[in-house]
Amino acid sequence: MSPKVALQYLLPHRLLSRMAYGVARSTNGRFKDWLIALVIRKFGVDMSEAADPEPRNYPHFNAFFTRELRPGARVADADPDTLLMPADGKVSQVGRIESGRIFQAKGQSFTAAELLGDEAMAAPYADGWFANVYLSPRDYHRVHMPWAGTLVETLHVPGRLFTVAPWGVQAIPRLFARNERLVCHFETDFGPMCSVMVGAMLVSGVETVWNGVEIPAYANTLIRRDWRGKGVTLGRFAEMARFNYGSTVVLLFPRDAVELDSFATETQTRVGQRLGRVVR
């Protein structure tokens, strides 16, 4: 184990994330302008795509990080049977769920039941499909719907906050099933669909369009919320959530309902591009 990986096990994940949460919301003009300018320069953020391209106009770093894009900066694939990519970022993995297990990297895997925190809710995805998309600091940090769906249930699963950077995914076993996460179950016209917002060190904030800030606070036990009959229906390509700081979104689909395209690891992604298709 390299020193960099070993440090991931030793660091106080939640303490550091709470500190980052405060820093990201500092309204000190000089500090927030310096921090925003640093990230733009270091990661090559394209501000021409932002609804407000002037960095100094953002009241704090998190407002910049979760910035809205200008109209037309992202468009949905024109084919109405196309499943859409949920986020800007890079493909971690896309493929089949084999014997209930989801491939992570370098021979590592975890079960869908571990990821979702519920064996019964994982059952519809046996031998189905999954897609993992990693959002880096340069990316647009809002997550959109790959298909229209009605929210059924959310489950806030407590856990660690390991880095989800590619080197961490390759080195830390069962990473996505160990990190704090918000599991969002939807019902669609092809059956169930699940979107999992996975937190990470320093980047563990999750906010949904239907309930506002979900993480933090961090959970010590499972927190289940029933949304049946509440009328939370989101259209294909609609925004569903955002990372206050970024991380990884994992999608799950049933076996015979969809077919996902093939993607090489670390393929660049954009919201609205084709992820696969619904099988009619």
Side-chain angles (χ1 to χ4, degrees), residues 5-17:
V5 174
L7 192 60
Q8 285 290 309
Y9 289 89
L10 299 174
L11 289 171
H13 293 186
R14 289 186 174 183
L15 174 61
L16 291 174
S17 294

Side-chain angles (χ1 to χ4, degrees), residues 22-23 33 39 42 73 77 103 129 140 189 213 249 268 272 277:
V23 167
D33 288 346
V39 169
K42 180 176 176 61
D77 188 279
F103 179 70
W129 298 84
Y140 168 62
D189 60 3
V213 176
V249 57
Q268 198 74 40
R277 70 182 185 96

